[in-house]
Amino acid sequence: MRRILILILIPVLLCSFVPVACSASDTGYPELDPEVVAAFGLSGLQWIDEPESNDDYWNNFLLSFAAGDWEYWDEPLIWNGEMAPIWNKPGGNMIPVFNSLLGALLNQGISVFYANGKYYVATNGVEPLYSKEELMAQQNDVLLAAKAIHDDFWRTGKLREDMTEMERFQVYFHYLTALSIPPSATDYQSEDPQYRTVFMKYDSAYGALINHVADCGGKSAIMNLFAHLEGIQAFGLLGSIVGITDAGHVVNFLRLDGDLYVSNFGSANRGTYLLNSSSLAKWFELDRNVLNTALKYMRCHPDESPASAFQVTDIRSRDDYVNVGCRVLKGNNGTEDQLFGIRYGEPDNCLYIGGYTLKALEKGINARFSRQEIELNHIPESITLLEE
């Protein structure tokens, strides 16, 4: 089976390799399946035990939301002594940037706060269209559906190892374009807060891939989800269509083969454009604040160490061996003479091969492990990068 596993530098216990979130642990941070973390664009984020800055709290909220470790607050924001928030922020730039995860909240006018050891999504007195449990079910269902499509593309050869990131991305671009997902017929200019909850249907990846009715928020969300399954960094960007007043629009922001692109498959200006290119500027005006937020997270993933961007791109099981394809993203810190190894399993129960340079890992390598040894010693399926 074709899978993508990404090394996550978050101090969690791995629950399993099925795309569901686990319950919160007693240590204060949510336990997350690594596939969930990778698929929803959270790779490289680490739980912060004692958050201090706004970025720290957003970091922990994203991980908590993905795990379902949050609650709605649907009453007016009037605090008493027992419920005074330590941190309270409007949705702002983070919801469009992480729209593969938070897309359903895109047009809700929500705020997020932290109080009494819990993160809350405040709807300011408006009853949300979907409960937390329904949103978690949608998160699970759309990931399962997207993975099935991803696996089929690899099985049938539509996606191959010799393809560039741009070529792989275009496979999904053409697939989603061919679906001809229609937009909703809702009124985005409505000022009625209760009416606006209907947009939860149309701004999520679930709305696009499962319901097959989505607006730009949902279409960009599902494209980002597919990109993440390929190990491609992808976020949402908010902006406006040139020449049309009050025409908010969400597109995809990606790093493909080292370059930054803006992509849009769900409207008349269909295509993938280099960031800051004249062809993009002719039809789309970026919200620079949202772009700066996306750039911050685009850069934070690969910059700390090679291990923070280590990706397992393929696991192929044969009769005699398991072949693991893996690589690290370009742009990592590391010296030319530094060597790395690949470990299959946990530290005290593993198979190991080493001697790879960072340059070799950037190109991608294949590591072969004995199936007989794996089965004989009950070695768990966990692949990590080691600095020698």
Side-chain angles (χ1 to χ4, degrees):
M1 180 181 294
R2 186 81 188 186
R3 282 161 292 182
I4 291 180
L5 306 175
I6 297 182
L7 175 68
I8 306 302
L9 301 181
I10 300 174
V12 300
L13 299 175
L14 301 185
C15 300
S16 67
F17 283 93
V18 295
V20 295
C22 308
S23 60
S25 73
D26 294 334
T27 55
Y29 53 77
E31 296 180 359
L32 278 172
D33 187 297
E35 286 189 342
V36 173
V37 174
F40 292 102
L42 308 182
S43 300
L45 300 188
Q46 304 180 50
W47 182 264
I48 299 171
D49 288 329
E50 297 182 4
E52 296 179 356
S53 68
N54 184 52
D55 287 346
D56 291 349
Y57 281 104
W58 275 118
N59 177 92
N60 286 1
F61 170 72
L62 291 168
L63 296 172
S64 295
F65 192 92
D69 186 24
W70 61 279
E71 300 293 341
Y72 276 121
W73 182 267
D74 55 7
E75 301 176 14
L77 295 180
I78 300 174
W79 314 110
N80 56 41
E82 296 180 356
M83 198 63 184
I86 299 172
W87 173 77
N88 181 28
K89 289 290 180 181
N93 302 335
M94 296 294 287
I95 292 176
V97 168
F98 288 92
N99 63 347
S100 61
L101 176 68
L102 304 175
L105 306 179
L106 183 63
N107 279 282
Q108 303 314 300
I110 60 95
S111 60
V112 179
F113 68 90
Y114 181 79
N116 293 353
K118 177 74 71 174
Y119 284 93
Y120 293 85
V121 173
T123 59
N124 302 314
V126 177
E127 183 179 355
L129 183 65
Y130 297 122
S131 67
K132 181 188 79 172
E133 290 71 25
E134 288 171 321
L135 287 178
M136 288 300 297
Q138 290 183 8
Q139 175 179 300
N140 185 60
D141 290 348
V142 73
L143 179 51
L144 287 172
K147 277 178 54 61
I149 294 166
H150 161 273
D151 292 349
D152 183 67
F153 285 168
W154 280 100
R155 180 181 58 81
T156 59
K158 292 181 180 179
L159 293 170
R160 305 181 310 277
E161 288 288 352
D162 61 352
M163 298 172 73
T164 65
E165 288 182 330
M166 174 62 83
E167 289 170 337
R168 284 185 281 137
F169 174 75
Q170 289 298 321
V171 170
Y172 293 103
F173 186 98
H174 294 311
Y175 170 78
L176 289 172
T177 300
L179 291 181
S180 298
I181 302 169
S184 71
T186 53
D187 178 14
Y188 275 83
Q189 304 305 315
S190 173
E191 297 297 329
D192 182 349
Q194 191 60 64
Y195 172 79
R196 294 186 69 84
T197 65
V198 72
F199 302 133
M200 295 183 84
K201 285 185 178 181
Y202 308 121
D203 289 328
S204 67
Y206 180 90
L209 190 61
I210 306 299
N211 289 341
H212 282 252
V213 179
D215 295 320
C216 60
K219 292 173 182 177
S220 60
I222 188 57
M223 180 63 86
N224 281 344
L225 180 55
F226 278 128
H228 297 154
L229 291 178
E230 290 300 321
I232 294 170
Q233 283 188 294
F235 299 95
L237 275 188
L238 183 65
S240 59
I241 298 174
V242 173
I244 303 178
T245 58
D246 299 324
H249 190 59
V250 183
V251 295
N252 299 97
F253 178 50
L254 313 104
R255 188 196 301 275
L256 298 170
D257 304 306
D259 294 317
L260 299 179
Y261 289 87
V262 169
S263 186
N264 179 60
F265 80 90
S267 71
N269 302 102
R270 186 175 295 117
T272 302
Y273 309 82
L274 279 167
L275 181 67
N276 297 323
S277 65
S278 59
S279 56
L280 174 64
K282 289 178 181 178
W283 73 271
F284 189 67
E285 183 177 353
L286 292 164
D287 182 313
R288 290 291 164 177
N289 290 327
V290 179
L291 174 62
N292 289 337
T293 298
L295 282 170
K296 177 176 66 177
Y297 285 96
M298 181 75 77
R299 291 165 177 159
C300 81
H301 297 335
D303 287 345
E304 293 183 3
S305 72
S308 68
F310 175 62
Q311 297 181 351
V312 176
T313 55
D314 183 28
I315 301 178
R316 295 180 184 270
S317 296
R318 307 296 188 190
D319 291 339
D320 298 326
Y321 61 87
V322 173
N323 198 71
V324 177
C326 49
R327 63 188 289 261
V328 297
L329 295 180
K330 296 179 180 179
N332 289 284
N333 298 322
T335 61
E336 291 186 3
D337 59 349
Q338 188 174 9
L339 296 179
F340 298 84
I342 309 299
R343 182 178 67 201
Y344 190 110
E346 302 300 334
D348 58 349
N349 185 19
C350 70
L351 292 174
Y352 163 80
I353 57 174
Y356 295 110
T357 65
L358 184 58
K359 185 175 181 180
L361 284 169
E362 287 178 348
K363 293 180 178 179
I365 60 102
N366 288 302
R368 181 173 294 189
F369 300 93
S370 166
R371 171 171 285 283
Q372 181 179 5
E373 291 294 324
I374 292 171
E375 294 178 349
L376 180 64
N377 296 289
H378 306 287
I379 298 173
E381 187 180 74
S382 174
I383 300 95
T384 53
L385 180 70
L386 305 174
E387 296 189 22
E388 296 187 334

